[in-house]
Amino acid sequence: MAKWINEGILFGLYLAFGLSWLAYVPLLGKLEGAFGVDHATSALLISAISLANALAPMLVGGLGARLGPSKCIALGGLFCATAAVAPWMKSFPMLIALRFLLGVGGSLVAI
């Protein structure tokens, strides 16, 4: 029974990660105006996570081997939870860094 609970937690966590990844697409126009950035720069909100998903598995693979699966998933879930504070970011570079951290969390969960 525990394996089904773990699988449900993993599925829910990665589902929330995916929704957080693409949730900015309908808001890009308003965010461009709020932060005063152009359309190409605002695309970093999506591509920062893609970049983290491309780079992080190479960097966190060893961390996952040291921590073990449970702690690695817990750390990834904590990083994914940083998406909850994103609406209060006042700086565009900080928002990009937070989105990169979200991508690293998604990579930790997937490892």
Side-chain angles (χ1 to χ4, degrees):
M1 185 64 163
K3 67 180 178 180
W4 294 108
I5 293 171
N6 289 340
E7 187 64 32
I9 290 170
L10 280 174
F11 179 76
L13 184 59
Y14 217 71
L15 177 70
F17 166 75
L19 290 174
S20 297
W21 186 347
L22 296 175
Y24 280 83
V25 174
L27 302 172
L28 280 180
K30 291 182 180 182
L31 290 171
E32 290 167 3
F35 286 112
V37 296
D38 61 351
H39 193 64
T41 306
S42 69
L44 285 172
L45 291 170
I46 305 300
S47 59
I49 297 176
S50 299
L51 182 65
N53 280 332
L55 297 176
M58 294 181 281
L59 301 173
V60 300
L63 180 69
R66 285 188 201 132
L67 291 178
S70 299
K71 289 180 183 174
C72 188
I73 291 169
L75 183 63
L78 182 68
F79 283 176
C80 286
T82 60
V85 298
W88 290 280
M89 290 289 113
K90 303 251 187 235
S91 163
F92 190 73
M94 281 299 295
L95 184 59
I96 296 297
L98 193 72
R99 300 280 291 170
F100 188 83
L101 193 61
L102 173 68
V104 170
S107 295
L108 279 167
V109 169
I111 286 182

